[in-house]
Amino acid sequence: MSMTLPHFTDADSFRAFRSASSRWLPIALDIARGHGLDVGAPLVFATGTNLVVGLGDNLILKIFPPLLRAQFVSERASLSQLAGRLHLPIPEIVAEGERDGWPYLIITRLAGTLGSEVWPHLPEDQKERVLRQIGETIASVQRAPLGALAQIEPRWDDFMRRQMQGCKARHTRLGLAPKFLAGLDDLLRDAAQLIPMDAPPVILIGEYIPENFLLASDDGQWSLKGLFDFGDVLAGWRDYDLLGPSAFMAAGRRGRVKSLLEGFGYTKLDFALKRRLMALMLLHRASDLNGHICIEGWQERAADLVELQDLIWPE
């Protein structure tokens, strides 16, 4: 077996390689041994974008293919910049390096249960409690100075303009219903006025979703206990980070939406805010309304994008 990481020119080839862990795990363990780490009980994480393996109970090795080097740059800069600045634990960088052109990080492993395992089973009041904590965490991250993340690419104005240009084609390709596509031009026209392009940017994680945070229970009360995965960080307008929890977790429930927004710092949910959030949801780099809006029957319950924004963010 080759102990050299191959070169890939396309994402599909890399994903096939990642799914066959027997092809890369020996190399990962060789990297770990090179740092004097215990490799006795490795745990391969099958989900995610990069090659990720747990080393014992306390460490994780994350290897990034060259075609995703931008994620390595984002993760390393974010963990360094946010270290010691949040009330919530995030991974700490223990070591870093490069193997065959593939950069890697060795980071601490956080305690807690993956949010996606717990969230579906939480009672409503605890879902509201966790969403308030997520809103507070987003605001806390955004209060941190940008540091090296001020130079992260793409720049917000370039990113937004590119997303606006490709928005209609993207959602047509993804099968968004014609009644929603019909309102896109009007929404994009509003977006150009509603979304600040040159306001002071803040750190945007991009994916505050259950797969990227940890929860823990104290006497039956579940709380947010850790945040990880900083590979898609941007610097830009603050509201962008409300989209993940709005789509995947709030589910159009008035109490949940209120908790998230109040935790974040918004006390008033008016038409302009809903319109801006709707626009940003359609412009998000991972936007796919059909796959992401967790409101049962939303395609039938809303006649257009205005009704849809009222459904997702009820007052």
Side-chain angles (χ1 to χ4, degrees), residues 229-245:
D229 196 349
F230 297 85
D232 293 311
V233 166
L234 291 170
W237 179 248
R238 62 196 304 256
D239 292 357
Y240 185 81
D241 267 350
L242 292 169
L243 305 179

Side-chain angles (χ1 to χ4, degrees), residues 43 90 136-137 143 173 182 204 212-213 273 286:
L43 173 65
I90 62 172
E136 292 168 352
T137 298
R143 283 192 293 270
R173 175 174 54 82
L204 302 173
N212 290 349
F213 59 74
L273 176 56

